[in-house]
Structure formats: C-alpha cells, structure tokens
Amino acid sequence: MDKQKSRFRWIVLASVLFTYLLMSSQRTAPGLITDQVMLDLNVTASTVGLLIGVQFFVYTCLQIPMGILADRFGPNFFLIIGAILTGLGTIIYSLSTHEFILFFSRILTGIGDATIWVNLVLILSRWFNEKEFTRLIGVAGMTGSFGFLLATVPFSALIALLGWRAAFFSAGLLICLCGILLYFVLLKRQKQILLNESVFEKKGIQHEKTLVLLRRIFSSRQAWALLFCHFGIVGGYIGFIGSWAVPYGMDMYGMTRINASQLIMISLIGALIGAPLIGWISSRLGAIKLPYVFFHIIMLLCWSIFLIFNGHPPFYLLTVLFFIIGFAFGSNSLTFAVVRQSFPAKESGIVSGFANTGGFLSAVLLPSIFGNVLDHFLSASGSLGDGYYYGFITPVIFSMIGLIGVIFIKEKRLKGNP
C-alpha cells in the first residue's frame, strides 16, 4: 500500500500533531509559575532565568545531531522517545524539591522537545505528497502556536484549580500517554498495514559517513540560505514577543501586566491564522520562494516602523504591528517545504535540523542582546525609551539577514503546477 494514498495517514497526522500541541505547551508553561517556584523551592530570580533558558539551549544544540539520527534510523522511534522524555521531564519538574532536580527536569524536557520538529517534518514528508505537505506544514506551525496559547489562560486555570504541581504532573502524564499512542500508530499498527517502508530505513543500506555528509551540508549554499532565512523570521517573533513584549508594553505605554500580555495574544492569533493560510497560498501558487520573500519583507517593514516612531508607535498601530508580525511569522514553516523540495529524503532530517538551529539560535540571542542594550541605556542615561529604540535595531538586523537568506534560496516549482 502506498503511504501517500493511505487513509491511515490522517490518523498519523492527528496523532503527531496532538502530541506536538502538548509538547510545545511545555516550552513556555513554566513561566506561569515563576513566583511560585521561587517561593516554594527558595530559588533566586537568576536561577529561574537560567532554568527557562536551559531547555532552549539544549533544544538548539541537539537539532543537527537529531537530524542525523532521524535520517539514519528513521523518525518514528525518536519521536516516541522524545514524547516520553518530555512527559517524564514534566513529571519530575512537578515533583522537584531542589534546584538541581529542576535543572535536570528541564534538560530532560529539552532533550525530548528537540526530537519533535525534525521528526514531525520527516514523518509528514513520507506520508503526504509535495502539495499536501506544503499545506500541512503550515497546519503544523499553527499547532505549535496553539500549544503556546494552551500554556496561557487554559493552563493557568488548571494551575488555579489543581495547584502547580498537580497541573504539571497531569500534563506530563498525558504526554507520556501520547508517546504510547505514537508507538501503536507509528510502529505497531503501521507494520501491520504497510509493506513498503522507505528504502533508507531498511536494514543493510549503506549510509554515507557522517563527516562527509556534514561537510557537504555545511558547504551547501542552499542549506545556509535556509538557516539564515529561518534565523531572520523566527528570532524577532520568539525572541522579542516571548521575552520583552510584556515589559515593553508596561514601560512604554503604562499598561498593566495583564493588558500587556494581550499583545502576546494578538500576535499569537496572527500566527494561528498566518501559518495555515500562508501554506495554502503557497500550495495554490505552486511556489514557495515568492510568498516567503514577501512575508520576510513584511516582517522587516514592521520592525522598521518601531524605529521610525522612535520605539513608541501609536497604540492602535502597535496592535496592528503585533498581529502582522505574528501573521508573517506563520510563514516560517515554508523553510521546511524548501528542505523537502531541495534535498534527498535521506538528508532532509539533518538539513531540517540545520535550518531549525538558525531559528532557535536567533531566539536565544535576541533577548540577551535586547536586554544588554536596555541595561546600557538605563545605566548611561536612565532612559528606557532610548533603550527600547536602539533595542529594536536588533530585530531589524535579524530580519535583514532573513531576507538575504530567502533571496538566495533556489526553488523548483511544486509538482502538479505548470
């Protein structure tokens, strides 16, 4: 039976995306209980800051190794193990009594989280044809945004109802159960109904030496273009929206923390709409590069507007900018549509990991750079306004890097289009 014509592929899609939804929620959920963790475990704010960052650091470092492993041994096993590790890490986090256990739990969660996207991309690329994949990769991006949304009001309500330990324990247990579900869907049930596994997953196949493969990928202009375009589109959104958006609203507009948090919600809504819609547009056009260039330009213009208004655009324009930035961020999934189109299937895992490293590297760098700029101007002149103004130069530069990367992408038209 052909995988890409099997009805079973929709069960695979639903199972993988539901697992991704829950796993992605645990990237930001600990931020909801920062004060409670500090109080209950007697840890400092700096420790909590390191605790939040360690998961993203582990995630970023493991993207290329995970891509190599997924290409060599197939994505199914690693996605199952990743879900279970994420679930176990979340459960251990809920039981933590010491900061060492907190760090161990977040490292374990980071290892599990590092498996999800690369393996998800590979699984969808094997079960769906090129046009379906271009649409569905946008749906996958939307699912990640839903995960972030799940980690706001809904998970806060669960914490208020059960307490933070019981809420995180329940989430971890559910993610572990998803890992068991994936075992039955991706391994046990699949073997019963499908006979033609991908040729490079069969035993006895000769694989290229890892160093030779890495040397070729690192010398590929297309791979670097994908890394840079993902660097530019992801960093501004996750790096700023996820760290400095709320302080910015409070400092520059006098908003309460709750009202400033609504800026993040506006941006999330933009991403939820943008990801599937941009994937659909790309599929209809039969082109990836054209819409991707367009949304990189839109992202660059949005960040530039902050500079034009000295870091303080009118409030009505601010809300529009946050929505558009989120919407344009939804185009980031097109990076992986280009990966599928440009590289052999046996290399798509490592190239996906390579490109994804660029995105999360920028998400790690931008908050730190932005914070250092704020600290400099606050200590030099006492002006947060100047700090935010010059801070916005960073996402502008990141967006320029992304635009240069996407311009250098080479593209073939999608199959089924003239």
Side-chain angles (χ1 to χ4, degrees), residues 296-370:
H296 269 273
I297 293 173
I298 293 296
M299 186 72 88
L300 175 59
L301 289 175
C302 285
W303 290 120
S304 299
I305 288 174
F306 281 96
L307 293 181
I308 293 172
F309 284 92
N310 294 315
H312 194 280
F315 185 75
Y316 74 90
L317 180 58
L318 179 71
T319 57
V320 173
L321 288 173
F322 269 75
F323 177 83
I324 295 176
I325 287 170
F327 190 96
F329 169 75
S331 67
N332 79 88
S333 297
L334 294 181
T335 296
F336 305 97
V338 178
V339 170
R340 171 174 178 166
Q341 183 190 84
S342 305
F343 293 88
K346 64 181 180 179
E347 298 176 3
S348 57
I350 183 174
V351 180
S352 295
F354 185 71
N356 208 28
T357 298
F360 278 84
L361 178 62
S362 65
V364 170
L365 288 176
L366 189 140
S368 176
I369 296 171
F370 205 103

Side-chain angles (χ1 to χ4, degrees), residues 86-308:
T86 300
L88 289 176
T90 305
I91 289 173
I92 293 172
Y93 186 82
S94 73
L95 302 174
S96 297
T97 56
H98 189 272
E99 62 184 58
F100 172 80
I101 302 176
L102 286 174
F103 275 101
F104 174 74
S105 68
R106 297 316 291 172
I107 290 171
L108 198 63
T109 303
I111 295 171
D113 193 23
T115 69
I116 181 65
W117 185 255
V118 170
N119 291 295
L120 180 152
V121 169
L122 289 182
I123 289 170
L124 295 189
S125 70
R126 296 177 187 185
W127 282 92
F128 295 91
N129 63 44
E130 196 168 343
K131 288 196 69 176
E132 288 177 328
F133 178 83
T134 303
R135 291 194 295 267
L136 291 175
I137 200 66
V139 174
M142 179 185 70
T143 303
S145 295
F146 263 124
F148 294 140
L149 192 62
L150 186 64
T152 56
V153 176
F155 202 68
S156 294
L158 186 64
I159 291 171
L161 179 65
L162 301 178
W164 74 269
R165 291 187 181 275
F168 277 85
F169 185 91
S170 302
L173 182 61
L174 184 56
I175 295 172
C176 285
L177 291 175
C178 284
I180 297 172
L181 171 66
L182 289 177
Y183 167 75
F184 285 100
V185 172
L186 296 178
L187 293 181
K188 192 169 184 180
R189 180 60 178 163
Q190 182 186 155
K191 289 180 179 178
Q192 294 174 359
I193 66 172
L194 297 173
L195 299 177
N196 58 330
E197 288 297 305
S198 300
V199 66
F200 50 87
E201 288 188 80
K202 295 181 179 178
K203 294 181 180 179
I205 193 72
Q206 292 296 317
H207 292 287
E208 190 174 15
K209 290 183 177 180
T210 300
L211 289 178
V212 175
L213 176 60
L214 285 172
R215 191 179 299 117
R216 189 172 68 256
I217 298 302
F218 275 81
S219 62
S220 167
R221 192 187 82 166
Q222 185 82 332
W224 281 103
L226 289 166
L227 182 143
F228 285 130
C229 76
H230 209 58
F231 180 96
I233 202 79
V234 171
Y237 177 81
I238 295 181
F240 179 79
I241 302 296
S243 60
W244 289 108
V246 171
Y248 171 71
M250 295 171 66
D251 293 336
M252 298 296 287
Y253 293 87
M255 302 171 71
T256 65
R257 186 175 300 275
I258 293 176
N259 289 335
S261 298
Q262 292 176 1
L263 294 174
I264 298 178
M265 294 290 290
I266 291 169
S267 194
L268 273 173
I269 292 170
L272 287 170
I273 297 172
L277 183 58
I278 292 169
W280 179 83
I281 291 171
S282 178
S283 178
R284 291 288 295 176
L285 291 175
I288 302 171
K289 182 174 179 176
L290 179 62
Y292 211 7
V293 169
F294 175 79
F295 285 107
H296 269 273
I297 293 173
I298 293 296
M299 186 72 88
L300 175 59
L301 289 175
C302 285
W303 290 120
S304 299
I305 288 174
F306 281 96
L307 293 181
I308 293 172

